[in-house]
Amino acid sequence: MKKLQKRFDDFIALKSLKHTHQRNLIFDVFLNSDGHLSTEELYEKIKSIDSSVGQATVYRTMKLLCEAGIAHEIHFGDGLTRYEVDDSGKKHHDHLICTVCGKIFEFVDELIEQRQKELAKKYDFDLTSHRMYLYGVCADCRKKI
Amino acid sequence: MKKLQKRFDDFIALKSLKHTHQRNLIFDVFLNSDGHLSTEELYEKIKSIDSSVGQATVYRTMKLLCEAGIAHEIHFGDGLTRYEVDDSGKKHHDHLICTVCGKIFEFVDELIEQRQKELAKKYDFDLTSHRMYLYGVCADCRKKI
DNA sequence: TTATTTGCAAAGAATTTGCATGTCC
DNA sequence: GGACATGCAAATTCTTTGCAAATAA
């Protein structure tokens, strides 16, 4: 993950921002989390390490990480903003969301990616990004019912 | 769209609810809109017809239409809740969203539908629903730039 | 009649912002 | 030192809820 650290440093330099204890902490916690944390969950994690960090700083820093191309927002439709690592080295992936336990599985599927490009071409769209969410019940939860 | 009217009536009967002027109006406006309206936009349309209708009633009625299987929520990631007609007679469709003008195109693609089912099977998920959003710039907006 | 519904305004939840104070460079 | 960041609390935005008055069946 050296690349993202560099991106962080470069962005801070470019925009004449400052490295602060809080920003570094939030950056670290975010990168070491599973990448689907809501702002609230991130804030909880951060507070458990340094309780003096304010919630507004978490919001502000996550916005900043998005601008820097380190994070991006994802919305699963439950009203919460979640963040995912924007690792351009990693393939684009989609999500399977268990509507019972809330678990999120990521997967990469070339056929889908390919077809999305074809569709964009067909409808004369210049594709910038895409999201696909499959909602269902995972094997574990089906057993419990 | 007789089917949805019946679904509405049946739901109201089933739950011992009442047909009210407001509910009928909201139902009509919703069905005759393009199906991607936010609550705010719906409320504006409704107010222009009957300014005495309260915003809370719009929220309450849209929830009710969702429960009745007439509407469902969609989230394009801009923080607004939008509603779409839940017409099970119509094929499932996906969305192309122009990030410049905000226009939304719907399309149906059997290959995608097919592949989603395969993927759910592969990961042992019992698929209940899915959403796919393609974000990009439409042909019209590209010309303007 | 009487349970349901409504509009209003107040309450909530998630997020943003203003500002005095604190911190990085 | 001075610009940038922070924490706090107040402000915003979207949505829900409590309640007295209105209405459908």
Side-chain angles (χ1 to χ4, degrees), chain A:
Chain A
M1 290 284 168
K2 277 276 167 56
K3 203 192 297 173
L4 293 178
Q5 179 70 57
K6 183 175 184 319
R7 207 177 288 174
F8 185 42
D9 295 345
D10 287 352
F11 186 78
I12 283 181
L14 180 71
K15 298 267 184 173
S16 313
L17 304 177
K18 286 167 181 170
H19 268 290
T20 65
H21 164 63
Q22 290 90 333
R23 281 180 182 160
N24 292 334
L25 175 61
I26 295 168
F27 175 82
D28 284 343
V29 167
F30 171 63
L31 282 196
N32 293 308
S33 65
D34 80 353
H36 298 110
L37 294 187
S38 65
T39 321
E40 188 61 33
E41 289 166 332
L42 267 168
Y43 176 53
E44 288 307 320
K45 277 207 174 191
I46 285 152
K47 258 204 321 198
S48 74
I49 300 169
D50 179 348
S51 62
S52 74
V53 177
Q55 192 156 16
T57 302
V58 177
Y59 277 101
R60 283 188 278 230
T61 304
M62 290 316 296
K63 283 234 131 104
L64 192 147
L65 294 183
C66 286
E67 276 181 70
I70 291 165
H72 62 242
E73 295 191 355
I74 46 175
H75 297 264
F76 290 147
D78 58 0
L80 292 178
T81 300
R82 289 163 203 280
Y83 290 95
E84 197 168 65
V85 177
D86 191 344
D87 187 349
S88 38
K90 194 174 160 187
K91 291 234 169 183
H92 176 80
H93 61 272
D94 293 303
H95 300 96
L96 268 164
I97 301 144
C98 177
T99 53
V100 177
C101 66
K103 257 194 305 256
I104 298 156
F105 297 81
E106 288 181 3
F107 64 91
V108 174
D109 188 68
E110 278 310 323
L111 271 177
I112 293 274
E113 300 293 312
Q114 181 59 38
R115 187 62 184 160
Q116 287 174 332
K117 280 177 203 147
E118 286 170 18
L119 287 164
K121 193 173 224 172
K122 175 173 170 188
Y123 295 102
D124 204 2
F125 252 70
D126 211 351
L127 206 58
T128 50
S129 67
H130 53 274
R131 296 285 129 79
M132 189 173 85
Y133 306 120
L134 302 183
Y135 299 91
V137 184
C138 71
D140 287 349
C141 287
R142 275 209 309 283
K143 279 174 207 148
K144 285 177 206 148
I145 296 168

Side-chain angles (χ1 to χ4, degrees), chain B residues 18-19 39 56 59-60 63 80-81:
Chain B
K18 287 168 182 172
H19 270 290
T39 321
Y59 277 101
R60 283 188 280 229
K63 284 236 131 105
L80 291 177
T81 299

Side-chain angles (χ1 to χ4, degrees), chain B residues 43-44 69 74 84 111 114 117 134:
Chain B
Y43 177 53
E44 289 306 320
I74 47 176
E84 199 169 62
L111 272 176
Q114 181 60 36
K117 281 178 201 143
L134 303 183

Side-chain angles (χ1 to χ4, degrees), chain B residues 34-51:
Chain B
D34 81 351
H36 299 108
L37 294 187
S38 64
T39 321
E40 188 61 31
E41 289 166 330
L42 266 169
Y43 177 53
E44 289 306 320
K45 278 207 174 193
I46 285 152
K47 256 202 325 198
S48 73
I49 299 171
D50 179 347
S51 62

